Amino acid sequence: MKAAVVTGTEVVTIQEVDKPVLKDDEVLIKVATAGVCGSDLHLFRGTHAFRKPPAILGHEVAGDIVEVGKDVKKFKVGDRVTVEPHLGCGVCEFCKQDLVNLCTAKAAPGTPKWIGAFVEYFNAPEKTLYKLDDKVSYEVGTLIEPLAVAVHALERAQVKEKDCVVILGAGTIGLLVQVVAREMGYKTIITTDTARFNRDISLKLGAAAALDPLSEDVPAKVKELTEGRGASLAIIAAGADNILDQASACVRRRGEIGLVAMITKKIPFYCYSVVFNEQNIYGAMTYETRDFKKAAEMVNGGLDLDLFVTQKINLERSQEALDVLSRKEENVIKVIVTV
Ligand SMILES: NC(=O)c1ccc[n+]([C@@H]2O[C@H](COP(=O)([O-])OP(=O)(O)OC[C@H]3O[C@@H](n4cnc5c(N)ncnc54)[C@H](O)[C@@H]3O)[C@@H](O)[C@H]2O)c1
Ligand SMILES: [Zn+2]
Ligand SMILES: [Zn+2]
């Protein structure tokens, strides 16, 4: 079968690879769609923490079950599904608390333990599967994974007041956080993005304001829109040198800051602001299974995410799919690879 493999820095090659051999608790999925994610870009650019070339791209996937292992109980051939793409060791202190995202021995697609999703056939254990409602397109089904990241980012917050959330960065993740915040009942949602296209989408999705951090004073605007109080929560979904300072300045006393963006270099931060204002900072890494379940329920319940799919590109042209997201020369939120 065909697979899109990163074979060198910014080089994707279509190669023939073996179809996965099923374990008893697994199903084989004929892949319909796979999403290009920021972590695929890291692999593409050679900056990923654990995926190194040669590696098959992709972990956001939707398709049809074409084969089931003998121990599979709840799924059958023909079911349309998506996959929660991580598998814990099952015995560590984190797995015991259902925190697969924190398991240091977890298996993830695109590593020697599990094939990547930019392939014709993808294997997955039954316990990682979620059915897609007939009304849900494969494209939108593929978005359940990043939607689960957004659910987790907000579920990690402990602040009780749901009056105002500021989302710094309105790319795929920031915009999905916006959608989830709206569903959770946040009254005022303010976003920022340097790209006009992203700000426009955010406004279409109902943001009270979508600010340009390069030309507007973001904390001042947030204060203006919250009667001087500031936001109860800021979610960081973009990387910039001033992003932590900006988040802290947007948030009120006893407010919270959630870090979702993967900022892997050191950035300056005036931390006294956190002390003086008694703010909390937390990190959010992928999702727990309950977050993924909630994301799947939202999509199966009719959550409209069609706006997010800006490009559809065939597997054979995976190089172009990665280039589009990497170069950002055209308006892009989510690139979906079709198989
Ligand atoms: N924690 C996790 O589990 C997890 C999961 C997925 C992605 N991520 C990370 O979240 C971040 C966002 O991911 P994404 O897929 O939405 O990426 P993306 O590139 O689609 O979005 C980032 C957005 O930030 C905007 N931006 C750039 N500089 C900005 C600034 N100074 N202020 C405001 N916006 C700015 C860009 O225009 C872009 O729209 C990335 O760092 C990614 O690695 C984390
Ligand atoms: Zn992803
Ligand atoms: Zn574990």
Side-chain angles (χ1 to χ4, degrees), residues 89-90 92 95 103:
C89 73
C92 74
C95 283
C103 171

Side-chain angles (χ1 to χ4, degrees), residues 189-306:
I189 302 174
I190 302 168
T191 59
T192 69
D193 204 290
T194 45
R196 173 74 183 267
F197 177 71
N198 295 63
R199 297 198 300 273
D200 286 346
I201 299 254
S202 180
L203 290 172
K204 272 192 200 146
L205 291 169
L211 308 171
D212 179 359
L214 300 180
S215 64
E216 292 176 281
D217 182 341
V218 173
K221 283 272 180 189
V222 171
K223 296 261 160 64
E224 214 177 287
L225 290 161
T226 54
E227 291 156 349
R229 293 188 73 212
S232 45
L233 175 66
I235 298 288
I236 298 178
D241 282 354
N242 67 343
I243 209 88
L244 266 166
D245 282 334
Q246 197 174 60
S248 180
C250 287
V251 165
R252 71 184 54 153
R253 293 189 161 181
R254 289 276 172 119
E256 232 171 341
I257 299 163
L259 251 168
V260 186
M262 296 189 179
I263 303 169
T264 50
K265 63 169 196 173
K266 287 189 182 179
I267 60 170
F269 178 40
Y270 182 63
C271 53
Y272 180 58
S273 170
V274 166
V275 177
F276 190 69
N277 296 301
E278 291 205 340
Q279 295 166 337
N280 289 336
I281 304 183
Y282 65 86
M285 179 62 198
T286 62
Y287 30 74
E288 298 168 41
T289 294
R290 60 179 182 172
D291 304 315
F292 208 98
K293 185 164 173 269
K294 186 167 175 183
E297 281 167 5
M298 288 169 81
V299 165
N300 282 329
L303 185 70
D304 183 3
L305 298 177
D306 287 336

Side-chain angles (χ1 to χ4, degrees), residues 1 20 22 27-32 61-67 79-83 119-125 128-129:
M1 66 169 184
L22 283 197
V27 304
L28 191 67
I29 298 164
K30 187 173 191 301
V31 177
V61 63
D64 301 287
I65 296 179
V66 289
E67 208 181 308
D79 283 346
R80 301 167 75 244
V81 292
T82 187
V83 178
V119 289
E120 291 177 282
Y121 296 94
F122 183 75
N123 62 313
T128 65
L129 300 177

Side-chain angles (χ1 to χ4, degrees), residues 35-40 59-60 85 145-146 149 173 287 334:
V36 187
C37 167
S39 61
D40 293 306
H59 58 271
E60 304 172 1
E145 195 270 357
V149 172
I173 296 295
Y287 30 74
K334 191 58 149 182

